[in-house]
Amino acid sequence: MQDPSYDARINILGGLNVYESAFKTSVKKIIFASSGGTVYGDQEAPFTESMTPKPIDPYGIAKEAAERVLITLADTHSIEWVIAVPHSIYGPRQKYDDPYRNVVSIMANLMLQGRQPIIYGDGEQMRCFSYITDCVDSLAAMATNENVIGEIINIGPDEEFISINQLAEKLANITGINLNPVYMPDRPGEVKLATCSSDKIRKLLGYETKVYLDDGLRELVTWIKESGPTPFEYHFHVEIKNDLTPKTWTERLI
């Protein structure tokens, strides 16, 4: 909501750059990584692939636009396509000093610095967090499997729906911090319930969750601890600053 042109440049124009390059070469298939937490929008969860996208923020709108452009151009130029829709990816080697994105790594980095996590709203937002290797394995399978051509496919552990409050509790137990979260106002345009159904990917690719949340969180915390907790880097320019802009960004509270 506060940096819409960045979303458009990365997702729409960035997607077009990839598509055009593919059309000029001998690329056979394009797999586009969409965003399950935003493209489906504010509708009944769990999200299924048959749902009409209803994004409520510029990021989700940009992702949906990139999906639609891919389908149109790929069908015109006879290139195979698959749209993968992962949900809340996390895991070792992710950028954990980013104050804007990925609640798991933000909380873990804060707690390992001896600081309290920041939670927007009441913390009852529901998510399903996908460990990185489960997502990468799924993408690799999509690259070679003929059954998924022209399909939109969720990737996510639909066995584990969890609130942000529960996530903070799990990370506090792992890091050993005495939990006392700092609650901030809701962020505009944030989907409350963003959980998915993985029935389709199980049917098409035999998907199964291999790394469950407790184990994945321990792996992430161990990696950040070994790499060294670090101050957050405010590397984005926030375009729109008003009363709706999170103070965590404008006042650099994270």
Side-chain angles (χ1 to χ4, degrees), residues 29 35 42 44 86 92 101 209 224-225 236 246:
K29 180 187 293 183
S35 173
D42 193 12
E44 186 176 352
R101 298 172 295 186
T209 302
I224 295 177
K225 188 181 296 184
F236 285 154

Side-chain angles (χ1 to χ4, degrees), residues 154-238:
N154 286 334
I155 304 174
D158 58 2
E159 311 95 335
E160 292 187 293
F161 298 159
I162 184 173
S163 72
I164 302 303
N165 287 325
Q166 291 171 321
L167 173 67
E169 292 173 2
K170 286 180 177 292
L171 285 169
N173 289 334
I174 295 170
T175 59
I177 193 173
N178 185 18
L179 184 63
N180 185 24
V182 177
Y183 286 88
M184 301 293 290
D186 279 309
R187 292 182 298 181
E190 183 173 9
V191 175
K192 187 75 172 182
L193 306 177
T195 58
C196 75
S197 166
S198 295
D199 288 345
K200 186 173 182 178
I201 193 171
R202 273 192 286 268
K203 179 180 179 181
L204 292 176
L205 294 175
Y207 169 87
E208 60 178 330
T209 302
K210 296 179 181 178
V211 180
Y212 287 93
L213 187 59
D214 287 342
D215 292 334
L217 293 179
R218 281 191 288 268
E219 290 290 334
L220 175 64
V221 168
T222 298
W223 182 76
I224 295 177
K225 188 181 296 184
E226 291 174 350
S227 301
T230 184
F232 289 85
E233 179 186 354
Y234 286 81
H235 55 293
F236 285 154
H237 171 69
V238 178

